[in-house]
Amino acid sequence: MTYDRWEPAAFKARVDEVLQPFVAQEADRFAAIDPLLGPVAEQLEAAVADGKRMRAAFCYWGWRAVGQPDSDALVRAAASMELVHAAAVVHDDLIDDSALRHGRPTPHIALRGAVRRRPRAVAAARSLAMLVGDLLMGLAGQLFAGSGLPAAYLARARPLWAVLTRELIAGECLEILSTGAEPDVAASLKVIRYKTAKYTVEHPLLIGGALAGASERLREGYSAYGLPLGEAFQLRDDLIGLFGDPERTGKANADDVRGHRPTALLAETWRVAGDGDREQLRALLGRRDPDGDGLDAVREVMGRLKTPDRVEDMITARVEEALGALHELDVPAQAAAALTALAHSATVRLS
């Protein structure tokens, strides 16, 4: 890998060389406590088997944009961002009752086999999945603290972990509290900001920058770039979630409709819908098992009201805002090029 040029596949491989052996070792230690724990340990490893390692990349380039050189210890610290993501995904799939992720059963579904002969097996599997997510978050802190970076560097970034955790959990709570309520664009964007945008882009950048000793002005620039880009990322995910091909996304595209979740896609549809369309949406949203016709009806309403086009415009505007903020920053050329490329790959269409 040429470390002054952004090479996504090579960087992913480098992060995986840290992440997967670390989690495998911790899973083995966990399973060694008792053979019953084997299926839970398997879900720890499954949780980090996939992903583009985008959050690690933002942390890495948050460090490099300060002018710091490449560092294996920094890559270890950056890999901890992927464990935060893995924990958030396990919890999110549990909360949303999502059955598939990357084309495989989610932990609370996969773990039913381990408890199938026990009372309240479904609830027991959900409890095990919750604990898998908790352990992954604990491992994130362990990997970060043991990365090999100087203690003084780690101390600069440690307060940001409290902010990351607080805001991530606040976003998840806001989504739960808003689910089923009358859709509202401002409320949906706030959920996006706290549940996804911050821990996907802004916080990894800020943590990488703090490790490197970034100036206050540069940290402000990271936020000005990271927040709109993170929002654009989630808006794209919402579009893909409903209109994408499950064979390519690896997720069931009925989840947001079935869960009546406060997505910006739904809120924007509701904003412009007339009484008849709203009545139809009320009948379709939140149904436990919407069939193909029900999903198609929701898509038809959204398409007729041109919601996907307006959400595309929201994505474009946010990417442009992020890149505008990036271009205002005085950072090394290779960091600017990498962060520009990341902005595009984070919001690319899956079609």
Side-chain angles (χ1 to χ4, degrees):
M1 178 177 177
T2 303
Y3 298 131
D4 284 343
R5 188 170 71 245
W6 175 232
E7 298 175 9
F11 182 79
K12 171 178 160 50
R14 196 175 174 198
V15 172
D16 284 346
E17 286 171 7
V18 169
L19 194 62
Q20 291 175 350
F22 172 78
V23 173
Q25 183 180 58
E26 291 299 323
D28 287 345
R29 290 171 174 167
F30 185 78
I33 295 170
D34 192 288
L36 281 175
L37 296 171
V40 182
E42 289 174 9
Q43 290 307 307
L44 286 173
E45 294 194 73
V48 298
D50 300 287
K52 297 179 181 178
R53 311 312 185 204
M54 186 171 61
R55 291 155 186 86
F58 282 118
C59 184
Y60 177 85
W61 287 105
W63 162 276
R64 294 297 305 274
V66 180
Q68 291 278 15
D70 178 73
S71 160
D72 287 339
L74 187 279
V75 172
R76 286 183 63 80
S80 69
M81 298 293 100
E82 297 301 326
L83 287 170
V84 172
H85 176 51
V89 164
V90 170
H91 284 151
D92 194 47
D93 286 341
L94 175 60
I95 291 164
D96 292 344
D97 202 22
S98 297
L100 286 176
R101 173 78 63 165
H102 297 298
R104 294 193 301 271
T106 49
H108 67 278
I109 300 296
L111 285 164
R112 288 180 182 178
V115 292
R116 63 181 176 273
R117 294 187 179 89
R118 288 162 176 76
R120 300 181 66 243
V122 171
R126 293 177 66 84
S127 296
L128 289 174
M130 177 185 69
L131 294 167
V132 168
D134 291 347
L135 183 50
L136 286 164
M137 186 62 90
L139 292 177
Q142 180 183 331
L143 181 58
F144 184 80
S147 62
L149 288 170
Y153 289 25
L154 295 173
R156 289 195 296 247
R158 194 166 292 119
L160 294 175
W161 276 81
V163 179
L164 182 157
T165 305
R166 180 190 314 124
E167 294 186 342
L168 171 57
I169 293 174
E172 194 72 72
C173 289
L174 283 173
E175 183 180 59
I176 293 168
L177 293 165
S178 302
T179 292
E182 182 165 304
D184 176 81
V185 174
S188 294
L189 290 174
K190 191 168 192 178
V191 169
I192 284 173
R193 187 172 307 122
Y194 282 91
K195 182 190 167 190
T196 303
K198 283 176 166 285
Y199 98 87
T200 297
V201 186
E202 184 193 23
H203 287 313
L205 276 170
L206 289 172
I207 287 172
L211 290 169
S215 67
E216 182 178 356
R217 183 178 182 279
L218 186 54
R219 294 195 305 270
E220 290 172 353
Y222 283 173
S223 292
Y225 162 89
L227 271 175
L229 181 58
E231 290 179 4
F233 168 82
Q234 185 56 47
L235 289 168
R236 170 65 64 210
D237 198 59
D238 288 348
L239 273 177
I240 291 170
L242 185 55
F243 290 94
D245 178 359
E247 291 293 320
R248 298 191 66 189
T249 66
K251 296 188 288 186
N253 53 14
D255 284 353
D256 286 345
V257 172
R258 177 168 54 83
H260 196 169
R261 294 179 196 146
T263 64
L265 183 62
L266 172 59
E268 184 62 20
T269 301
W270 191 267
R271 184 181 68 82
V272 299
D275 291 343
D277 286 329
R278 287 187 176 187
E279 184 176 348
Q280 184 180 9
L281 288 170
R282 280 194 192 96
L284 293 167
L285 294 167
R287 278 169 43 178
R288 184 63 189 166
D289 291 303
D291 56 20
D293 290 342
L295 274 179
D296 287 343
V298 172
R299 293 190 189 103
E300 188 279 328
V301 172
M302 290 180 172
R304 178 162 40 78
L305 297 176
K306 302 192 181 303
T307 309
D309 293 339
R310 287 197 304 282
V311 173
E312 287 286 356
D313 290 343
M314 292 166 71
I315 292 168
T316 299
R318 282 162 172 76
V319 173
E320 289 175 354
E321 181 183 349
L323 293 177
L326 175 63
H327 295 152
E328 292 295 314
L329 296 178
D330 182 17
V331 299
Q334 68 268 26
L339 291 170
T340 299
L342 279 165
H344 291 299
S345 63
T347 55
V348 70
R349 294 171 186 258
L350 202 71
S351 59

